[in-house]
Amino acid sequence: MIKLSKTSKLDGIMSWSLEALETCPGSKNKDGSLVEACSGCYATTGNYRFKNVKAPREFNKRDWKREDWVQDMVQALDSSRYFRWFDSGDVYDLNLAHKIYQVMQLTPWVKHWLPTRMEKFPKYKAIITKMRELPNVSVRFSSDSVTGQYENGLHGSVIIPDPTHLQDGMTLCKAYEHDGKCNGCRACYDKEVNLIAYPAHGRSMAKVIRIALAV
Ligand code: SF4
């Protein structure tokens, strides 16, 4: 059985997730330390430490390898119009990436949003390019910066310390104006929106930003 999760932010839109960090090879620098954006990761604190939140993520790490997983996912998305891959975790395995591509292809009625850091690894480029070619898919390569640095044409999202750091060409995530909820905004799922800027939130992230701005 497919296990989807629902985060309060996303207006009831469902996600399929894995455990953070363990399935996020793109979260680490060459020396093994975490990149800035992942150092204050919300998915390693708070509710994400609870057993009932961890269990489905551990289950999913085994479940996607099943032969019928693609068909079961397609069925699970039967009445969805939007879907977010990974409110925690990432596409840590190339075979998983190919299966996700099949799900995307077989569900043209769903707008998929896939945030990822796996584009750092050359072997993922081909499958991510194929995903991007689908009209219903928005793949967002996340910048590692927490101070708004990004590469134009490469990154699809970046963290900024607060809305005053918004730069030309960025679309501001205004969830902070709506009690941390999307409130009808669907910019992340829209492939015409090039770069989303997320104002930082949470105490751990505030600390990471203080250090980053002081350097
Ligand atoms: S940009 Fe819009 S869709 Fe994306 S997280 Fe923010 S409020 Fe939600």
Side-chain angles (χ1 to χ4, degrees), residues 9-10 113 173-175 181-182 185-189 196 198:
K9 180 179 188 180
L10 298 183
W113 162 25
C173 169
K174 292 187 177 171
K181 299 196 185 340
C182 292
C185 173
R186 299 289 181 262
C188 289
Y189 309 80
I196 309 263
Y198 302 108

Side-chain angles (χ1 to χ4, degrees), residues 16-18 82-92 96-101 104 111-119 124 127-132 136-142 156-157 187-191 198:
W16 185 88
S17 297
L18 295 169
Y82 294 90
F83 191 71
R84 181 197 177 170
W85 292 92
F86 304 108
D87 71 59
S88 62
D90 205 342
V91 201
Y92 70 103
L96 172 60
H98 281 276
K99 284 195 166 189
I100 288 177
Y101 172 74
M104 291 166 162
K111 286 199 168 197
H112 296 262
W113 162 25
L114 172 64
T116 184
R117 290 180 202 284
M118 297 309 290
E119 225 162 336
Y124 278 82
I127 188 65
I128 289 178
T129 300
K130 280 178 76 173
M131 288 176 181
R132 282 218 170 89
N136 58 325
V137 175
S138 164
V139 181
R140 297 197 176 276
F141 181 22
S142 314
S157 69
C188 289
Y189 309 80
D190 185 346
K191 59 197 293 143
Y198 302 108

Side-chain angles (χ1 to χ4, degrees), residues 170-203:
M170 291 178 173
T171 296
L172 181 64
C173 169
K174 292 187 177 171
Y176 67 92
E177 287 182 359
H178 307 285
D179 202 19
K181 299 196 185 340
C182 292
N183 196 38
C185 173
R186 299 289 181 262
C188 289
Y189 309 80
D190 185 346
K191 59 197 293 143
E192 302 303 319
V193 176
N194 292 328
L195 181 71
I196 309 263
Y198 302 108
H201 58 89
R203 266 191 292 176

Side-chain angles (χ1 to χ4, degrees), residues 26-96:
S27 68
K28 297 198 179 87
N29 292 307
K30 285 201 177 103
D31 64 3
S33 62
L34 287 176
V35 301
E36 282 176 352
C38 297
S39 303
C41 176
Y42 61 83
T44 57
T45 57
N47 290 349
Y48 284 85
R49 283 181 299 202
F50 295 153
K51 212 173 163 188
N52 64 329
V53 178
K54 286 176 85 149
R57 287 162 173 76
E58 286 166 3
F59 170 87
N60 285 345
K61 196 172 174 206
R62 300 185 297 275
D63 193 48
W64 71 263
K65 295 171 185 163
R66 272 193 302 118
E67 203 175 312
D68 296 337
W69 183 81
V70 169
Q71 275 314 321
D72 289 351
M73 274 299 299
V74 170
Q75 215 164 46
L77 297 185
D78 189 36
S79 55
S80 296
R81 291 296 169 266
Y82 294 90
F83 191 71
R84 181 197 177 170
W85 292 92
F86 304 108
D87 71 59
S88 62
D90 205 342
V91 201
Y92 70 103
D93 188 301
L94 201 52
N95 292 320
L96 172 60

